Amino acid sequence: MQYSERVLFVDDDPLSRRAFARAMRQCGFIIDVAENGEEALDLARHYPYAVLAADWHMPDLDGLRLVERVRSGDSDPVCVLVTGAGDDEVGTLDLDGVGVSAVIRKPWESQAVAEVLQRSLNTYHTRRRLADPSSAERRLQGFPVLLVEPQA
């Protein structure tokens, strides 16, 4: 399957960036990569990302602060946290409160990551439909309507 929406993957580890991009491109995703939060913010100003997948532990601007900054701007990607941290550490986070919809654990399996990205894209499309009230009207355009009025 080939997707038309962009995914931004942010990780300070070059091996992780290359592995993620290669595996997800083979699954049909359009992947851009950034090595830090500032580079990701710059890319997000230029491209409309449907999904932002950010490493939690990065120097300077970590994944959670990056999510907060991206979501405070004009774009509204579905945000995914990438981490090698254990359940006890991740469990202390209020992921919904910061706008993170899923967590990808390192090391990852490509199929599991592709499924997370697919669910994230579905969420992104649902958000867009709900944000555009005329989308339901457009789906009905072109369908004939039979109007029956009682005779007087």
Side-chain angles (χ1 to χ4, degrees), residues 4-21:
S4 59
E5 299 84 3
R6 297 177 90 95
V7 174
L8 177 57
F9 178 72
V10 188
D11 198 312
D12 57 319
D13 177 38
L15 294 176
S16 292
R17 288 193 307 272
R18 276 194 299 259
F20 187 96

Side-chain angles (χ1 to χ4, degrees), residues 1-142:
M1 175 176 251
Q2 186 65 29
Y3 300 94
S4 59
E5 299 84 3
R6 297 177 90 95
V7 174
L8 177 57
F9 178 72
V10 188
D11 198 312
D12 57 319
D13 177 38
L15 294 176
S16 292
R17 288 193 307 272
R18 276 194 299 259
F20 187 96
R22 182 180 49 240
M24 294 305 101
R25 286 175 182 146
Q26 288 175 349
C27 292
F29 295 98
I30 299 170
I31 303 291
D32 291 337
V33 295
E35 68 178 275
N36 58 51
E38 292 302 325
E39 184 180 356
L41 289 171
D42 187 50
L43 285 169
R45 283 189 281 275
H46 292 91
Y47 300 103
Y49 289 103
V51 179
L52 167 67
D55 185 26
W56 179 12
H57 295 292
M58 294 186 294
D60 299 322
L61 185 61
D62 70 23
L64 289 176
R65 291 189 317 172
L66 173 61
V67 166
E68 289 172 351
R69 292 205 31 206
V70 166
R71 294 184 64 77
S72 69
D74 292 336
S75 64
D76 188 27
V78 174
C79 297
V80 176
L81 189 64
V82 180
T83 184
D87 288 338
D88 54 333
E89 192 176 357
V90 174
T92 64
L93 299 174
D94 177 17
L95 297 177
D96 290 334
V98 294
V100 172
S101 66
V103 176
I104 295 173
R105 305 285 183 155
K106 292 179 181 180
W108 61 71
E109 293 183 18
S110 295
Q111 185 58 39
V113 172
E115 289 170 8
V116 168
L117 293 184
Q118 178 59 58
R119 283 193 309 272
S120 297
L121 288 174
N122 291 343
T123 300
Y124 176 77
H125 289 292
T126 299
R127 277 188 198 167
R128 291 189 61 179
R129 279 193 305 274
L130 293 175
D132 182 7
S134 66
S135 65
E137 295 169 12
R138 279 197 302 274
R139 283 194 306 271
L140 295 176
Q141 287 178 351

